[in-house]
Amino acid sequence: MNRYRTDKFARGLIYTIVGAIIALIAIFIGYLLVQGWSTISWSFLTTASDDGLGIRDQLFNSLYLLILTLLLSFPIALGSAIALTIYGKKSRFAAIAEMAIQALSSLPSIIIGLFGFLLLVLKFKIGFSVLSGAIALTFFNLPILTQSISLAIATVPEARMTAGVSLGVSKWHTITKVILPEAMPGMISGIVLSAGRVFGEAAALIYTAGQSAPKLDYFNWNIFDANSFLNPLRPAETLAVHIWKVNTEGLGANAEAISKGTIVILILTILAFNLLARQLSRRLQRKIYH
Amino acid sequence: MYDTAETYLNFPDLTNALTTKDLTVKYDDTLALHPCSAVFPKNRITALIGPSGSGKSTFLRCLNRMNDEVATIGGQIVFDDTNINDRKLNVYQLRQQIGMLFQQPNPFARSIRFNLSFGLLEHQKISNQDLQQRMKQVLSMVDLWNELDGDLERNALQLSGGQQQRLCLARTLMSMPQVLLLDEPASALDPISTAKIEANLLELKQNYTIIIVTHNLEQAARISDYTAFFYDGQLMEFDATAQLFIKPHLAMTDDYLSGNFG
């Protein structure tokens, strides 16, 4: 076989493999969408599960937990990323910290969930709550968020720091005013992608945020009331946990329909996150460079 | 190997902008720069030449304290009657007085306006009008104002390499420093851009003291008034450029200039 034909063959093979993967994903997602589509309705999204099929509270819980998780994990991840990529670069401490982060990122999420259960729910007596869930998810989210923010910061050439410092600007101001703005597109897409992961997480939440979704009152702004939608100490079943629970308990005639419909909502939301991440980072990039 | 015991240092009897006294640089346990005492005459261009690893860049970077984090610096650097190699000194202020330009153009990935104003605004409040005027002034000094048609909103990364380097030069001029340290500023540029930078430097030396590290001997001969030859972490010879290039005192300098090593 001559090399042109070898090349052609290799290229064909690679395209076939890629095509197969895309087809597989399309079939998978398509199947789930078709299965669950008939359940989706306005009332499915806007009524509580106590009243029938609805997933209103689970959907809100997922979003609320996500926001709290990001509020907790972003500052820590940003700080660690700055420490690792700029201040502690090539230090022993950074090497050890990076190893720890990698270890944490490969920790099964059920372990994080059980750890959260023992420490937060039982030991600290926070109980099954939004807060316990958010802290557990922070553990779950920190490694990947730190890694993606570190990566975004590392793409900014070191010459920017040298330039800032040589102009008599402190390292910190060079970071906040030059390096972070330039790393912003990468950071945003890292945040949104990690948000997708957090949104779909179930195992870490089953024993921390709990498996019950008390009916919420969306007009009760008093966060200390048990039925207030903002109360961080109430149990909060999310979409992913809901799917798990409905399937394991299989209660009621509608269990299957509810589960399939919830899957569709979950997938569509995560897809939306991914598209949003691309759009945002592309737009920011354009804004910064032109 | 050459005998490094003998040095020839002929410093001119002019007003000095900067002097070093037994300046040493130590990386961990290796001495990268042996005690180095030098005098840099005001409003002149002094070129630092020598083979790679001879310590000239290391020496240069000490002069505005850019080596602090990576090495131990001993001895004194006297600038404005003060020893600036002092831990208590405000290095941020110092770097506004002693500017630096690097081998690779390193503008910020932002507008030309941001590039010029960033460092200055960190140190002083200045009216918008004065700022605008200063920007125009420094861009004119490096012949960029006309090339840019006065458009300060363009992203600096859209400029050509030579323009970027001249922008960086203008950026260091914003704070009206007294000394400019240039670390092979033209080695990444094409001949035309190099010529432009050199022309700028010759203009600038009327008001600034310039110390330039270069591997390009023709460049040193073309633009510098004084030349310092470094070898193996030591300042070996210092003389007027015309003298040093025509009749160096040390055999080692002669060999280096003739291209026998380096």
Side-chain angles (χ1 to χ4, degrees), chain B residues 2-7 9 23 31-37 49-51 53-56 59 228-237 250 252:
Chain B
Y2 295 93
D3 173 22
T4 54
E6 187 197 351
T7 61
L9 306 175
L23 189 69
L31 199 60
L33 185 73
H34 294 268
C36 177
S37 299
I49 62 168
S54 60
K56 53 195 190 309
F59 175 79
F229 173 66
F230 282 78
Y231 179 79
D232 200 22
Q234 280 196 62
L235 173 58
M236 300 307 301
E237 184 159 355
L250 302 181
M252 157 193 330

Side-chain angles (χ1 to χ4, degrees), chain B residues 42-66:
Chain B
K42 195 174 160 81
N43 296 354
R44 296 287 188 278
I45 298 178
T46 305
L48 311 183
I49 62 168
S52 301
S54 60
K56 53 195 190 309
S57 277
T58 301
F59 175 79
L60 186 82
R61 292 170 70 92
C62 288
L63 300 181
N64 70 345
R65 302 277 300 273
M66 293 288 283

Side-chain angles (χ1 to χ4, degrees), chain A residues 27-29 41 51 89 99 109-110 117 137 176 196-197 211 227 239 242 253 258 262 265 290:
Chain A
I27 290 170
F28 177 64
I29 293 180
S41 66
D51 304 338
K89 204 177 175 189
M99 226 161 69
S109 53
I110 184 70
F117 175 65
L137 281 181
T176 55
R197 256 171 54 103
Q211 305 163 37
N227 70 346
L239 287 180
H242 191 54
I258 296 172
T262 313
I265 299 299
H290 298 287

Side-chain angles (χ1 to χ4, degrees), chain A residues 165 167-168 173 177 289, chain B residues 69 95-96 110 122-123 155:
Chain A
V165 168
L167 287 170
H173 273 182
K177 293 179 181 172
Y289 286 105
Chain B
E69 281 184 18
R95 288 173 187 151
Q96 290 268 298
R110 305 279 279 275
E122 286 283 307
H123 289 89
N155 190 297

